[in-house]
Amino acid sequence: MEWASTSSAGSSRSRARTSGPYVEQDPEAVAQWHAETWPKIRARARARADGGEVLFADQVGIRSDQVTGRTWGEKGRTPIVRRSGDRFSVNAMSAISTKGRMHFMVFTKSFTAEVMCRFLDRLTGHFDHEIHLVVDGHSARRSKKVRDWLAAHPDAIELHFLPAYSPELNPDELVNADLKHSLPKQHRARGRTELAAETRRFFRRRQRQPPIVRRYFGGPHVRYVLDENPMSF
């Protein structure tokens, strides 16, 4: 009998990649991001006398009925993974920098403006200089509540939005893919508390592994973050 290693999430971690581009994506907006917007963000961060820093952030949802990781099965037969019959989920938001820094927050409610403000509060507590935070255009991030928070903290965080429908431009999407492939293969969470604990363990482990965090910026679509020439990706 021949056996083969299979990935229940569709690919091995080494081949994990972000989705996109979407058909709704505007190529001109992406070109402008590479040629104008991103170079300006990088230049503004470098110009700060107190050492401004750029982070890329995103949120992700993990469901109990989502089979992740790798397992073994008879060749030609899809392996069956036992899991809880209950359906529950947790959410997380993370932010990473090319310096290998990672910050995260795990939460059980939906991603809202209130959650975004709480993440911003926690993020600023780790820095004594301005942060340039690059995110997608989720409505929660564009809400009045978030705009008011930013106005009340003018020297803490400046928010920058990626072009619409362009997840492949965000290195933090690779964190999300890594998370889903790295959750325990044998033990399956039997409740939301266990799932949240497993998710936190993943982020805390990555926080202690700056070289891995830096490697998220090496993907073909996000290498522009490291290159001086924004079009050399």
Side-chain angles (χ1 to χ4, degrees):
M1 184 178 294
E2 190 173 0
W3 295 79
S5 174
T6 62
S7 171
S8 54
S11 63
S12 69
R13 186 189 309 170
S14 62
R15 295 195 311 224
R17 55 185 296 186
T18 58
S19 58
Y22 291 97
V23 295
E24 297 91 345
Q25 185 183 84
D26 182 354
E28 292 185 3
V30 173
Q32 183 178 19
W33 172 263
H34 284 292
E36 299 178 22
T37 309
W38 168 245
K40 288 180 180 178
I41 295 171
R42 181 171 54 193
R44 290 177 66 177
R46 290 177 176 176
R48 294 282 300 192
D50 56 0
E53 189 164 351
V54 181
L55 293 96
F56 288 77
D58 194 35
Q59 78 279 358
V60 62
I62 302 295
R63 305 189 314 272
S64 60
D65 59 352
Q66 176 177 292
V67 179
T68 60
R70 296 177 65 85
T71 186
W72 291 89
E74 183 180 349
K75 189 173 183 179
R77 292 188 181 182
T78 302
I80 298 175
V81 179
R82 297 182 64 187
R83 61 174 184 258
S84 170
D86 295 333
R87 292 185 177 182
F88 48 87
S89 64
V90 300
N91 298 300
M93 187 166 183
S94 61
I96 58 173
S97 78
T98 58
K99 297 180 180 179
R101 300 187 64 154
M102 171 181 278
H103 304 274
F104 75 93
M105 182 176 74
V106 176
F107 53 98
T108 57
K109 296 182 179 180
S110 300
F111 180 62
T112 62
E114 289 77 8
V115 172
M116 181 64 184
C117 289
R118 184 152 49 97
F119 182 76
L120 296 176
D121 279 328
R122 296 180 61 168
L123 193 59
T124 55
H126 294 282
F127 292 86
D128 58 3
H129 52 259
E130 183 182 40
I131 305 167
H132 291 266
L133 189 63
V134 181
V135 295
D136 64 32
H138 191 289
S139 58
R141 300 191 181 102
R142 293 184 178 275
S143 66
K144 183 178 185 302
K145 185 178 289 291
V146 171
R147 294 198 305 272
D148 289 345
W149 188 99
L150 294 170
H153 304 78
D155 297 321
I157 293 182
E158 186 171 346
L159 216 55
H160 306 277
F161 294 102
L162 289 160
Y165 301 104
S166 302
E168 76 281 4
L169 298 179
N170 191 345
D172 202 61
E173 287 278 355
L174 293 171
V175 177
N176 299 341
D178 189 13
L179 166 63
K180 292 181 179 181
H181 284 285
S182 297
L183 288 177
K185 285 77 174 175
Q186 302 301 324
H187 171 68
R188 298 290 165 181
R190 290 166 293 184
R192 181 175 289 173
T193 300
E194 286 188 12
L195 185 57
E198 290 173 358
T199 303
R200 290 190 183 93
R201 277 194 287 271
F202 164 81
F203 283 112
R204 287 169 181 155
R205 185 168 64 250
R206 288 292 179 263
Q207 282 182 322
R208 298 190 296 270
Q209 300 169 316
I212 292 180
V213 175
R214 287 193 289 268
R215 284 204 293 271
Y216 292 131
F217 292 86
H221 293 286
V222 298
R223 202 171 298 143
Y224 73 90
V225 177
L226 303 175
D227 293 338
E228 289 299 317
N229 178 359
M231 296 303 291
S232 59
F233 63 97

